[in-house]
Amino acid sequence: QQQVKQSPQSLIVQKGGISIINCAYENTAFDYFPWYQQFPGKGPALLIAIRPDVSEKKEGRFTISFNKSAKQFSLHIMDSQPGDSATYFCAASTSGGATNKLIFGTGTLLAVQP
Amino acid sequence: EPEVTQTPSHQVTQMGQEVILRCVPISNHLYFYWYRQILGQKVEFLVSFYNNEISEKSEIFDDQFSVERPDGSNFTLKIRSTKLEDSAMYFCASRTGIGNTEAFFGQGTRLTVV
């Protein structure tokens, strides 16, 4: 029940295209859903995050869509650029506890071709 | 911009040896974490630390692991007797502790056990 399932495992998109990565969760206690971007040899960096009281959040070219009833959320990267090529992880956590640990998805390796 | 710093960036050790991975979290942060990422796999929670004690640990964090905040700035992860399967990237993270705020990750320490 603590798992976060992520797909696809890898994704190739042409420059200017839309990249879409999907995640699903089981634990209804999760109330914070961040997306992290990781470049090779670097630590994960927060890209964008959403809470379940909204269905969509947009920051620049990055949008999270959230479907609470389906327990799914997705990352959309509009006008994808070669510099977006990285591994993307969705994650989930619960607030209110002493930990707020992040449960990560398995990651998606995105390659944006010029 | 404040950042989490980790040392060393790469550590090679022989099986059975003790290793200490070091982290300097962001100075006003209150919650500290260690995560592990085996090559090509997802980021996994190891342990959280708050108010000078462990607040939660995963099943991975067995008796061979320990954490310490010895001097109010450093946060260390010790593996007493390393095994081959401990080879991974270890990430330290910290957050302010007010609600579900952003967790900032360090660049990681690549541990190779031979």
PDB file of all heavy atoms in Angstrom, chain A residues 31-32 36 38 42-44 46 51 89 93 95 98-102 104-105, chain B residues 31 33 35 37 42-43 45 48 55-56 91 95 99-103 105-107:
ATOM      1  N   ASP A  31      -0.928  12.904   0.967  1.00  0.00           N
ATOM      2  CA  ASP A  31      -1.529  14.215   0.691  1.00  0.00           C
ATOM      3  C   ASP A  31      -0.515  15.224   0.147  1.00  0.00           C
ATOM      4  O   ASP A  31      -0.764  16.436   0.177  1.00  0.00           O
ATOM      5  CB  ASP A  31      -2.228  14.764   1.936  1.00  0.00           C
ATOM      6  CG  ASP A  31      -1.283  14.924   3.110  1.00  0.00           C
ATOM      7  OD1 ASP A  31      -0.073  14.631   2.953  1.00  0.00           O
ATOM      8  OD2 ASP A  31      -1.741  15.336   4.183  1.00  0.00           O
ATOM      9  N   TYR A  32       0.593  14.737  -0.331  1.00  0.00           N
ATOM     10  CA  TYR A  32       1.593  15.623  -0.927  1.00  0.00           C
ATOM     11  C   TYR A  32       2.274  14.830  -2.018  1.00  0.00           C
ATOM     12  O   TYR A  32       2.778  13.717  -1.766  1.00  0.00           O
ATOM     13  CB  TYR A  32       2.593  16.073   0.138  1.00  0.00           C
ATOM     14  CG  TYR A  32       3.756  16.897  -0.367  1.00  0.00           C
ATOM     15  CD1 TYR A  32       3.569  18.180  -0.862  1.00  0.00           C
ATOM     16  CD2 TYR A  32       5.048  16.400  -0.326  1.00  0.00           C
ATOM     17  CE1 TYR A  32       4.644  18.941  -1.308  1.00  0.00           C
ATOM     18  CE2 TYR A  32       6.124  17.150  -0.774  1.00  0.00           C
ATOM     19  CZ  TYR A  32       5.912  18.416  -1.259  1.00  0.00           C
ATOM     20  OH  TYR A  32       6.973  19.170  -1.689  1.00  0.00           O
ATOM     21  N   TYR A  36      10.233  14.976  -8.865  1.00  0.00           N
ATOM     22  CA  TYR A  36      11.647  15.315  -8.778  1.00  0.00           C
ATOM     23  C   TYR A  36      12.318  15.046 -10.123  1.00  0.00           C
ATOM     24  O   TYR A  36      11.978  14.084 -10.825  1.00  0.00           O
ATOM     25  CB  TYR A  36      12.340  14.506  -7.680  1.00  0.00           C
ATOM     26  CG  TYR A  36      12.117  15.059  -6.287  1.00  0.00           C
ATOM     27  CD1 TYR A  36      10.959  14.763  -5.576  1.00  0.00           C
ATOM     28  CD2 TYR A  36      13.061  15.892  -5.699  1.00  0.00           C
ATOM     29  CE1 TYR A  36      10.756  15.282  -4.312  1.00  0.00           C
ATOM     30  CE2 TYR A  36      12.873  16.416  -4.425  1.00  0.00           C
ATOM     31  CZ  TYR A  36      11.715  16.107  -3.739  1.00  0.00           C
ATOM     32  OH  TYR A  36      11.508  16.626  -2.480  1.00  0.00           O
ATOM     33  N   GLN A  38      16.095  14.419 -11.862  1.00  0.00           N
ATOM     34  CA  GLN A  38      17.441  14.014 -11.488  1.00  0.00           C
ATOM     35  C   GLN A  38      18.315  13.904 -12.739  1.00  0.00           C
ATOM     36  O   GLN A  38      17.994  13.135 -13.654  1.00  0.00           O
ATOM     37  CB  GLN A  38      17.436  12.680 -10.742  1.00  0.00           C
ATOM     38  CG  GLN A  38      18.808  12.255 -10.224  1.00  0.00           C
ATOM     39  CD  GLN A  38      18.780  10.918  -9.514  1.00  0.00           C
ATOM     40  OE1 GLN A  38      18.003  10.038  -9.844  1.00  0.00           O
ATOM     41  NE2 GLN A  38      19.660  10.754  -8.528  1.00  0.00           N
ATOM     42  N   LYS A  42      23.724  13.564 -10.007  1.00  0.00           N
ATOM     43  CA  LYS A  42      23.196  14.610  -9.124  1.00  0.00           C
ATOM     44  C   LYS A  42      22.094  14.048  -8.239  1.00  0.00           C
ATOM     45  O   LYS A  42      21.562  12.976  -8.493  1.00  0.00           O
ATOM     46  CB  LYS A  42      22.628  15.769  -9.957  1.00  0.00           C
ATOM     47  CG  LYS A  42      23.605  16.384 -10.938  1.00  0.00           C
ATOM     48  CD  LYS A  42      24.716  17.134 -10.227  1.00  0.00           C
ATOM     49  CE  LYS A  42      25.601  17.872 -11.211  1.00  0.00           C
ATOM     50  NZ  LYS A  42      26.737  18.548 -10.533  1.00  0.00           N
ATOM     51  N   GLY A  43      21.768  14.811  -7.194  1.00  0.00           N
ATOM     52  CA  GLY A  43      20.652  14.417  -6.356  1.00  0.00           C
ATOM     53  C   GLY A  43      19.327  14.851  -6.966  1.00  0.00           C
ATOM     54  O   GLY A  43      19.295  15.725  -7.832  1.00  0.00           O
ATOM     55  N   PRO A  44      18.238  14.242  -6.528  1.00  0.00           N
ATOM     56  CA  PRO A  44      16.916  14.663  -7.018  1.00  0.00           C
ATOM     57  C   PRO A  44      16.642  16.114  -6.629  1.00  0.00           C
ATOM     58  O   PRO A  44      16.972  16.531  -5.514  1.00  0.00           O
ATOM     59  CB  PRO A  44      15.957  13.709  -6.301  1.00  0.00           C
ATOM     60  CG  PRO A  44      16.796  12.566  -5.836  1.00  0.00           C
ATOM     61  CD  PRO A  44      18.148  13.141  -5.564  1.00  0.00           C
ATOM     62  N   LEU A  46      13.508  19.073  -6.576  1.00  0.00           N
ATOM     63  CA  LEU A  46      12.070  19.271  -6.708  1.00  0.00           C
ATOM     64  C   LEU A  46      11.747  20.089  -7.943  1.00  0.00           C
ATOM     65  O   LEU A  46      12.310  21.161  -8.167  1.00  0.00           O
ATOM     66  CB  LEU A  46      11.516  19.972  -5.474  1.00  0.00           C
ATOM     67  CG  LEU A  46      10.012  20.221  -5.490  1.00  0.00           C
ATOM     68  CD1 LEU A  46       9.260  18.888  -5.421  1.00  0.00           C
ATOM     69  CD2 LEU A  46       9.590  21.122  -4.340  1.00  0.00           C
ATOM     70  N   ARG A  51      -0.992  19.227  -3.974  1.00  0.00           N
ATOM     71  CA  ARG A  51      -1.767  18.626  -2.887  1.00  0.00           C
ATOM     72  C   ARG A  51      -3.128  18.243  -3.449  1.00  0.00           C
ATOM     73  O   ARG A  51      -3.576  18.811  -4.428  1.00  0.00           O
ATOM     74  CB  ARG A  51      -1.885  19.624  -1.739  1.00  0.00           C
ATOM     75  CG  ARG A  51      -0.554  19.949  -1.102  1.00  0.00           C
ATOM     76  CD  ARG A  51      -0.707  20.872   0.100  1.00  0.00           C
ATOM     77  NE  ARG A  51       0.580  21.258   0.641  1.00  0.00           N
ATOM     78  CZ  ARG A  51       1.271  20.524   1.500  1.00  0.00           C
ATOM     79  NH1 ARG A  51       0.793  19.374   1.924  1.00  0.00           N
ATOM     80  NH2 ARG A  51       2.447  20.939   1.948  1.00  0.00           N
ATOM     81  N   PHE A  89      11.150  11.406 -11.217  1.00  0.00           N
ATOM     82  CA  PHE A  89      10.548  10.558 -10.189  1.00  0.00           C
ATOM     83  C   PHE A  89       9.306  11.234  -9.641  1.00  0.00           C
ATOM     84  O   PHE A  89       9.360  12.407  -9.240  1.00  0.00           O
ATOM     85  CB  PHE A  89      11.509  10.323  -9.027  1.00  0.00           C
ATOM     86  CG  PHE A  89      12.709   9.478  -9.350  1.00  0.00           C
ATOM     87  CD1 PHE A  89      13.915  10.064  -9.711  1.00  0.00           C
ATOM     88  CD2 PHE A  89      12.639   8.102  -9.284  1.00  0.00           C
ATOM     89  CE1 PHE A  89      15.024   9.291  -9.998  1.00  0.00           C
ATOM     90  CE2 PHE A  89      13.751   7.307  -9.569  1.00  0.00           C
ATOM     91  CZ  PHE A  89      14.941   7.906  -9.931  1.00  0.00           C
ATOM     92  N   SER A  93       3.842  11.537  -0.049  1.00  0.00           N
ATOM     93  CA  SER A  93       4.067  11.463   1.389  1.00  0.00           C
ATOM     94  C   SER A  93       2.812  11.906   2.125  1.00  0.00           C
ATOM     95  O   SER A  93       1.867  12.417   1.523  1.00  0.00           O
ATOM     96  CB  SER A  93       5.267  12.317   1.814  1.00  0.00           C
ATOM     97  OG  SER A  93       4.948  13.688   1.768  1.00  0.00           O
ATOM     98  N   SER A  95       1.356  14.173   5.425  1.00  0.00           N
ATOM     99  CA  SER A  95       1.711  15.271   6.327  1.00  0.00           C
ATOM    100  C   SER A  95       1.206  14.951   7.725  1.00  0.00           C
ATOM    101  O   SER A  95       0.462  13.998   7.941  1.00  0.00           O
ATOM    102  CB  SER A  95       1.103  16.584   5.833  1.00  0.00           C
ATOM    103  OG  SER A  95      -0.299  16.481   5.784  1.00  0.00           O
ATOM    104  N   ALA A  98       5.706  12.733  12.142  1.00  0.00           N
ATOM    105  CA  ALA A  98       7.043  13.183  12.527  1.00  0.00           C
ATOM    106  C   ALA A  98       8.065  12.921  11.433  1.00  0.00           C
ATOM    107  O   ALA A  98       9.218  13.301  11.572  1.00  0.00           O
ATOM    108  CB  ALA A  98       7.478  12.475  13.803  1.00  0.00           C
ATOM    109  N   THR A  99       7.633  12.286  10.355  1.00  0.00           N
ATOM    110  CA  THR A  99       8.592  11.855   9.344  1.00  0.00           C
ATOM    111  C   THR A  99       8.407  12.550   8.008  1.00  0.00           C
ATOM    112  O   THR A  99       9.325  13.150   7.501  1.00  0.00           O
ATOM    113  CB  THR A  99       8.513  10.339   9.140  1.00  0.00           C
ATOM    114  OG1 THR A  99       8.769   9.694  10.358  1.00  0.00           O
ATOM    115  CG2 THR A  99       9.519   9.887   8.109  1.00  0.00           C
ATOM    116  N   ASN A 100       7.201  12.439   7.444  1.00  0.00           N
ATOM    117  CA  ASN A 100       6.945  12.943   6.097  1.00  0.00           C
ATOM    118  C   ASN A 100       7.941  12.390   5.098  1.00  0.00           C
ATOM    119  O   ASN A 100       8.423  13.108   4.222  1.00  0.00           O
ATOM    120  CB  ASN A 100       6.969  14.466   6.071  1.00  0.00           C
ATOM    121  CG  ASN A 100       5.906  15.065   6.961  1.00  0.00           C
ATOM    122  OD1 ASN A 100       6.144  16.029   7.667  1.00  0.00           O
ATOM    123  ND2 ASN A 100       4.724  14.489   6.928  1.00  0.00           N
ATOM    124  N   LYS A 101       8.267  11.106   5.239  1.00  0.00           N
ATOM    125  CA  LYS A 101       9.194  10.484   4.288  1.00  0.00           C
ATOM    126  C   LYS A 101       8.548  10.456   2.908  1.00  0.00           C
ATOM    127  O   LYS A 101       7.327  10.422   2.764  1.00  0.00           O
ATOM    128  CB  LYS A 101       9.515   9.061   4.732  1.00  0.00           C
ATOM    129  CG  LYS A 101       8.323   8.129   4.649  1.00  0.00           C
ATOM    130  CD  LYS A 101       8.638   6.768   5.213  1.00  0.00           C
ATOM    131  CE  LYS A 101       7.393   5.885   5.109  1.00  0.00           C
ATOM    132  NZ  LYS A 101       7.505   4.655   5.903  1.00  0.00           N
ATOM    133  N   LEU A 102       9.393  10.476   1.900  1.00  0.00           N
ATOM    134  CA  LEU A 102       8.936  10.408   0.521  1.00  0.00           C
ATOM    135  C   LEU A 102       8.986   8.962   0.051  1.00  0.00           C
ATOM    136  O   LEU A 102       9.985   8.268   0.234  1.00  0.00           O
ATOM    137  CB  LEU A 102       9.843  11.269  -0.359  1.00  0.00           C
ATOM    138  CG  LEU A 102       9.720  12.784  -0.150  1.00  0.00           C
ATOM    139  CD1 LEU A 102      10.894  13.502  -0.800  1.00  0.00           C
ATOM    140  CD2 LEU A 102       8.401  13.298  -0.700  1.00  0.00           C
ATOM    141  N   PHE A 104       9.021   7.057  -3.348  1.00  0.00           N
ATOM    142  CA  PHE A 104       9.307   7.385  -4.728  1.00  0.00           C
ATOM    143  C   PHE A 104       8.769   6.327  -5.680  1.00  0.00           C
ATOM    144  O   PHE A 104       8.713   5.131  -5.360  1.00  0.00           O
ATOM    145  CB  PHE A 104      10.822   7.497  -4.950  1.00  0.00           C
ATOM    146  CG  PHE A 104      11.416   8.781  -4.451  1.00  0.00           C
ATOM    147  CD1 PHE A 104      11.834   8.910  -3.137  1.00  0.00           C
ATOM    148  CD2 PHE A 104      11.574   9.871  -5.304  1.00  0.00           C
ATOM    149  CE1 PHE A 104      12.385  10.098  -2.672  1.00  0.00           C
ATOM    150  CE2 PHE A 104      12.129  11.053  -4.849  1.00  0.00           C
ATOM    151  CZ  PHE A 104      12.532  11.167  -3.537  1.00  0.00           C
ATOM    152  N   GLY A 105       8.400   6.781  -6.874  1.00  0.00           N
ATOM    153  CA  GLY A 105       8.142   5.871  -7.972  1.00  0.00           C
ATOM    154  C   GLY A 105       9.454   5.357  -8.535  1.00  0.00           C
ATOM    155  O   GLY A 105      10.540   5.750  -8.091  1.00  0.00           O
TER     156      GLY A 105
ATOM    157  N   TYR B  31      14.433  18.635   9.996  1.00  0.00           N
ATOM    158  CA  TYR B  31      14.238  17.220   9.702  1.00  0.00           C
ATOM    159  C   TYR B  31      15.316  16.768   8.736  1.00  0.00           C
ATOM    160  O   TYR B  31      15.584  17.438   7.733  1.00  0.00           O
ATOM    161  CB  TYR B  31      12.858  16.984   9.078  1.00  0.00           C
ATOM    162  CG  TYR B  31      11.715  17.119  10.044  1.00  0.00           C
ATOM    163  CD1 TYR B  31      11.254  18.372  10.419  1.00  0.00           C
ATOM    164  CD2 TYR B  31      11.093  16.008  10.584  1.00  0.00           C
ATOM    165  CE1 TYR B  31      10.200  18.515  11.306  1.00  0.00           C
ATOM    166  CE2 TYR B  31      10.051  16.129  11.479  1.00  0.00           C
ATOM    167  CZ  TYR B  31       9.603  17.384  11.832  1.00  0.00           C
ATOM    168  OH  TYR B  31       8.567  17.516  12.716  1.00  0.00           O
ATOM    169  N   TYR B  33      17.171  13.335   6.624  1.00  0.00           N
ATOM    170  CA  TYR B  33      16.870  12.027   6.049  1.00  0.00           C
ATOM    171  C   TYR B  33      18.099  11.436   5.358  1.00  0.00           C
ATOM    172  O   TYR B  33      18.942  12.166   4.850  1.00  0.00           O
ATOM    173  CB  TYR B  33      15.763  12.155   4.986  1.00  0.00           C
ATOM    174  CG  TYR B  33      14.501  12.822   5.456  1.00  0.00           C
ATOM    175  CD1 TYR B  33      14.377  14.205   5.455  1.00  0.00           C
ATOM    176  CD2 TYR B  33      13.422  12.063   5.896  1.00  0.00           C
ATOM    177  CE1 TYR B  33      13.215  14.818   5.884  1.00  0.00           C
ATOM    178  CE2 TYR B  33      12.252  12.670   6.329  1.00  0.00           C
ATOM    179  CZ  TYR B  33      12.163  14.050   6.319  1.00  0.00           C
ATOM    180  OH  TYR B  33      11.002  14.655   6.747  1.00  0.00           O
ATOM    181  N   TYR B  35      18.429   8.605   2.201  1.00  0.00           N
ATOM    182  CA  TYR B  35      17.805   7.776   1.187  1.00  0.00           C
ATOM    183  C   TYR B  35      18.904   7.031   0.448  1.00  0.00           C
ATOM    184  O   TYR B  35      20.054   7.450   0.425  1.00  0.00           O
ATOM    185  CB  TYR B  35      17.016   8.630   0.184  1.00  0.00           C
ATOM    186  CG  TYR B  35      15.745   9.240   0.717  1.00  0.00           C
ATOM    187  CD1 TYR B  35      15.769  10.442   1.432  1.00  0.00           C
ATOM    188  CD2 TYR B  35      14.510   8.634   0.483  1.00  0.00           C
ATOM    189  CE1 TYR B  35      14.595  11.010   1.905  1.00  0.00           C
ATOM    190  CE2 TYR B  35      13.335   9.200   0.963  1.00  0.00           C
ATOM    191  CZ  TYR B  35      13.390  10.392   1.671  1.00  0.00           C
ATOM    192  OH  TYR B  35      12.227  10.953   2.141  1.00  0.00           O
ATOM    193  N   GLN B  37      19.806   4.869  -3.303  1.00  0.00           N
ATOM    194  CA  GLN B  37      19.413   4.548  -4.675  1.00  0.00           C
ATOM    195  C   GLN B  37      20.415   3.558  -5.250  1.00  0.00           C
ATOM    196  O   GLN B  37      21.546   3.932  -5.579  1.00  0.00           O
ATOM    197  CB  GLN B  37      19.343   5.815  -5.533  1.00  0.00           C
ATOM    198  CG  GLN B  37      18.824   5.567  -6.935  1.00  0.00           C
ATOM    199  CD  GLN B  37      18.741   6.847  -7.755  1.00  0.00           C
ATOM    200  OE1 GLN B  37      19.518   7.779  -7.575  1.00  0.00           O
ATOM    201  NE2 GLN B  37      17.783   6.910  -8.660  1.00  0.00           N
ATOM    202  N   LYS B  42      14.885   2.836  -7.964  1.00  0.00           N
ATOM    203  CA  LYS B  42      14.249   4.009  -7.391  1.00  0.00           C
ATOM    204  C   LYS B  42      14.959   4.441  -6.110  1.00  0.00           C
ATOM    205  O   LYS B  42      15.742   3.713  -5.528  1.00  0.00           O
ATOM    206  CB  LYS B  42      12.779   3.750  -7.107  1.00  0.00           C
ATOM    207  CG  LYS B  42      12.528   2.727  -6.017  1.00  0.00           C
ATOM    208  CD  LYS B  42      11.041   2.561  -5.783  1.00  0.00           C
ATOM    209  CE  LYS B  42      10.767   1.517  -4.717  1.00  0.00           C
ATOM    210  NZ  LYS B  42       9.306   1.350  -4.489  1.00  0.00           N
ATOM    211  N   VAL B  43      14.660   5.643  -5.696  1.00  0.00           N
ATOM    212  CA  VAL B  43      15.178   6.181  -4.447  1.00  0.00           C
ATOM    213  C   VAL B  43      14.358   5.596  -3.294  1.00  0.00           C
ATOM    214  O   VAL B  43      13.119   5.644  -3.316  1.00  0.00           O
ATOM    215  CB  VAL B  43      15.082   7.718  -4.449  1.00  0.00           C
ATOM    216  CG1 VAL B  43      15.599   8.289  -3.145  1.00  0.00           C
ATOM    217  CG2 VAL B  43      15.860   8.300  -5.625  1.00  0.00           C
ATOM    218  N   PHE B  45      13.689   5.251   0.963  1.00  0.00           N
ATOM    219  CA  PHE B  45      13.838   5.854   2.279  1.00  0.00           C
ATOM    220  C   PHE B  45      14.605   4.918   3.203  1.00  0.00           C
ATOM    221  O   PHE B  45      14.336   3.718   3.255  1.00  0.00           O
ATOM    222  CB  PHE B  45      12.453   6.151   2.856  1.00  0.00           C
ATOM    223  CG  PHE B  45      12.432   6.505   4.311  1.00  0.00           C
ATOM    224  CD1 PHE B  45      12.815   7.762   4.740  1.00  0.00           C
ATOM    225  CD2 PHE B  45      12.017   5.578   5.251  1.00  0.00           C
ATOM    226  CE1 PHE B  45      12.787   8.102   6.085  1.00  0.00           C
ATOM    227  CE2 PHE B  45      11.976   5.887   6.597  1.00  0.00           C
ATOM    228  CZ  PHE B  45      12.355   7.152   7.014  1.00  0.00           C
ATOM    229  N   SER B  48      14.709   8.712   9.050  1.00  0.00           N
ATOM    230  CA  SER B  48      14.468  10.131   9.304  1.00  0.00           C
ATOM    231  C   SER B  48      14.912  10.451  10.722  1.00  0.00           C
ATOM    232  O   SER B  48      14.877   9.595  11.610  1.00  0.00           O
ATOM    233  CB  SER B  48      13.002  10.489   9.090  1.00  0.00           C
ATOM    234  OG  SER B  48      12.189   9.749   9.975  1.00  0.00           O
ATOM    235  N   SER B  55      13.174   9.269  13.978  1.00  0.00           N
ATOM    236  CA  SER B  55      11.716   9.323  14.032  1.00  0.00           C
ATOM    237  C   SER B  55      11.083   8.166  13.266  1.00  0.00           C
ATOM    238  O   SER B  55       9.980   7.746  13.590  1.00  0.00           O
ATOM    239  CB  SER B  55      11.191  10.662  13.507  1.00  0.00           C
ATOM    240  OG  SER B  55      11.742  10.969  12.253  1.00  0.00           O
ATOM    241  N   GLU B  56      11.771   7.679  12.269  1.00  0.00           N
ATOM    242  CA  GLU B  56      11.296   6.502  11.546  1.00  0.00           C
ATOM    243  C   GLU B  56      12.457   5.867  10.795  1.00  0.00           C
ATOM    244  O   GLU B  56      13.355   6.575  10.349  1.00  0.00           O
ATOM    245  CB  GLU B  56      10.174   6.853  10.558  1.00  0.00           C
ATOM    246  CG  GLU B  56       9.545   5.638   9.894  1.00  0.00           C
ATOM    247  CD  GLU B  56       8.328   5.988   9.034  1.00  0.00           C
ATOM    248  OE1 GLU B  56       7.836   7.129   9.112  1.00  0.00           O
ATOM    249  OE2 GLU B  56       7.887   5.098   8.289  1.00  0.00           O
ATOM    250  N   PHE B  91      21.798   9.408  -0.501  1.00  0.00           N
ATOM    251  CA  PHE B  91      21.428  10.821  -0.514  1.00  0.00           C
ATOM    252  C   PHE B  91      20.991  11.262   0.873  1.00  0.00           C
ATOM    253  O   PHE B  91      20.187  10.601   1.524  1.00  0.00           O
ATOM    254  CB  PHE B  91      20.271  11.080  -1.484  1.00  0.00           C
ATOM    255  CG  PHE B  91      20.633  10.884  -2.922  1.00  0.00           C
ATOM    256  CD1 PHE B  91      20.192   9.773  -3.617  1.00  0.00           C
ATOM    257  CD2 PHE B  91      21.406  11.822  -3.591  1.00  0.00           C
ATOM    258  CE1 PHE B  91      20.515   9.587  -4.955  1.00  0.00           C
ATOM    259  CE2 PHE B  91      21.738  11.650  -4.930  1.00  0.00           C
ATOM    260  CZ  PHE B  91      21.295  10.525  -5.607  1.00  0.00           C
ATOM    261  N   ARG B  95      14.671  19.232   5.441  1.00  0.00           N
ATOM    262  CA  ARG B  95      13.553  20.146   5.216  1.00  0.00           C
ATOM    263  C   ARG B  95      13.313  20.952   6.485  1.00  0.00           C
ATOM    264  O   ARG B  95      13.757  20.568   7.558  1.00  0.00           O
ATOM    265  CB  ARG B  95      12.300  19.406   4.778  1.00  0.00           C
ATOM    266  CG  ARG B  95      11.715  18.486   5.803  1.00  0.00           C
ATOM    267  CD  ARG B  95      10.473  17.788   5.270  1.00  0.00           C
ATOM    268  NE  ARG B  95       9.869  16.954   6.296  1.00  0.00           N
ATOM    269  CZ  ARG B  95       8.930  17.370   7.120  1.00  0.00           C
ATOM    270  NH1 ARG B  95       8.463  18.604   7.024  1.00  0.00           N
ATOM    271  NH2 ARG B  95       8.431  16.568   8.032  1.00  0.00           N
ATOM    272  N   GLY B  99       4.981  21.713   8.029  1.00  0.00           N
ATOM    273  CA  GLY B  99       4.115  21.084   7.044  1.00  0.00           C
ATOM    274  C   GLY B  99       4.909  20.244   6.068  1.00  0.00           C
ATOM    275  O   GLY B  99       6.031  19.837   6.342  1.00  0.00           O
ATOM    276  N   ASN B 100       4.369  20.017   4.918  1.00  0.00           N
ATOM    277  CA  ASN B 100       5.029  19.194   3.918  1.00  0.00           C
ATOM    278  C   ASN B 100       5.837  20.067   2.979  1.00  0.00           C
ATOM    279  O   ASN B 100       5.538  20.203   1.829  1.00  0.00           O
ATOM    280  CB  ASN B 100       4.000  18.395   3.132  1.00  0.00           C
ATOM    281  CG  ASN B 100       4.136  16.929   3.409  1.00  0.00           C
ATOM    282  OD1 ASN B 100       5.215  16.450   3.701  1.00  0.00           O
ATOM    283  ND2 ASN B 100       3.042  16.220   3.297  1.00  0.00           N
ATOM    284  N   THR B 101       6.838  20.670   3.486  1.00  0.00           N
ATOM    285  CA  THR B 101       7.663  21.547   2.666  1.00  0.00           C
ATOM    286  C   THR B 101       8.673  20.747   1.860  1.00  0.00           C
ATOM    287  O   THR B 101       8.854  19.560   2.061  1.00  0.00           O
ATOM    288  CB  THR B 101       8.400  22.560   3.541  1.00  0.00           C
ATOM    289  OG1 THR B 101       9.121  21.829   4.555  1.00  0.00           O
ATOM    290  CG2 THR B 101       7.429  23.510   4.213  1.00  0.00           C
ATOM    291  N   GLU B 102       9.314  21.430   0.972  1.00  0.00           N
ATOM    292  CA  GLU B 102      10.259  20.789   0.061  1.00  0.00           C
ATOM    293  C   GLU B 102      11.396  20.127   0.811  1.00  0.00           C
ATOM    294  O   GLU B 102      11.986  20.695   1.728  1.00  0.00           O
ATOM    295  CB  GLU B 102      10.822  21.832  -0.899  1.00  0.00           C
ATOM    296  CG  GLU B 102      11.876  21.288  -1.858  1.00  0.00           C
ATOM    297  CD  GLU B 102      12.400  22.345  -2.791  1.00  0.00           C
ATOM    298  OE1 GLU B 102      11.898  23.477  -2.756  1.00  0.00           O
ATOM    299  OE2 GLU B 102      13.329  22.029  -3.562  1.00  0.00           O
ATOM    300  N   ALA B 103      11.707  18.911   0.398  1.00  0.00           N
ATOM    301  CA  ALA B 103      12.898  18.222   0.876  1.00  0.00           C
ATOM    302  C   ALA B 103      14.029  18.525  -0.097  1.00  0.00           C
ATOM    303  O   ALA B 103      13.901  18.306  -1.303  1.00  0.00           O
ATOM    304  CB  ALA B 103      12.656  16.723   0.968  1.00  0.00           C
ATOM    305  N   PHE B 105      17.729  17.750  -1.443  1.00  0.00           N
ATOM    306  CA  PHE B 105      18.641  16.617  -1.485  1.00  0.00           C
ATOM    307  C   PHE B 105      20.063  17.090  -1.763  1.00  0.00           C
ATOM    308  O   PHE B 105      20.283  18.036  -2.518  1.00  0.00           O
ATOM    309  CB  PHE B 105      18.214  15.638  -2.589  1.00  0.00           C
ATOM    310  CG  PHE B 105      17.050  14.778  -2.207  1.00  0.00           C
ATOM    311  CD1 PHE B 105      15.762  15.284  -2.202  1.00  0.00           C
ATOM    312  CD2 PHE B 105      17.246  13.448  -1.844  1.00  0.00           C
ATOM    313  CE1 PHE B 105      14.680  14.490  -1.843  1.00  0.00           C
ATOM    314  CE2 PHE B 105      16.176  12.639  -1.490  1.00  0.00           C
ATOM    315  CZ  PHE B 105      14.894  13.164  -1.493  1.00  0.00           C
ATOM    316  N   GLY B 106      21.005  16.377  -1.184  1.00  0.00           N
ATOM    317  CA  GLY B 106      22.397  16.590  -1.515  1.00  0.00           C
ATOM    318  C   GLY B 106      22.744  15.902  -2.824  1.00  0.00           C
ATOM    319  O   GLY B 106      21.904  15.240  -3.440  1.00  0.00           O
ATOM    320  N   GLN B 107      24.006  16.053  -3.223  1.00  0.00           N
ATOM    321  CA  GLN B 107      24.461  15.479  -4.491  1.00  0.00           C
ATOM    322  C   GLN B 107      24.692  13.982  -4.398  1.00  0.00           C
ATOM    323  O   GLN B 107      24.836  13.311  -5.425  1.00  0.00           O
ATOM    324  CB  GLN B 107      25.785  16.134  -4.910  1.00  0.00           C
ATOM    325  CG  GLN B 107      25.733  17.618  -5.085  1.00  0.00           C
ATOM    326  CD  GLN B 107      25.213  18.013  -6.444  1.00  0.00           C
ATOM    327  OE1 GLN B 107      24.109  17.659  -6.821  1.00  0.00           O
ATOM    328  NE2 GLN B 107      26.017  18.757  -7.183  1.00  0.00           N
TER     329      GLN B 107
END
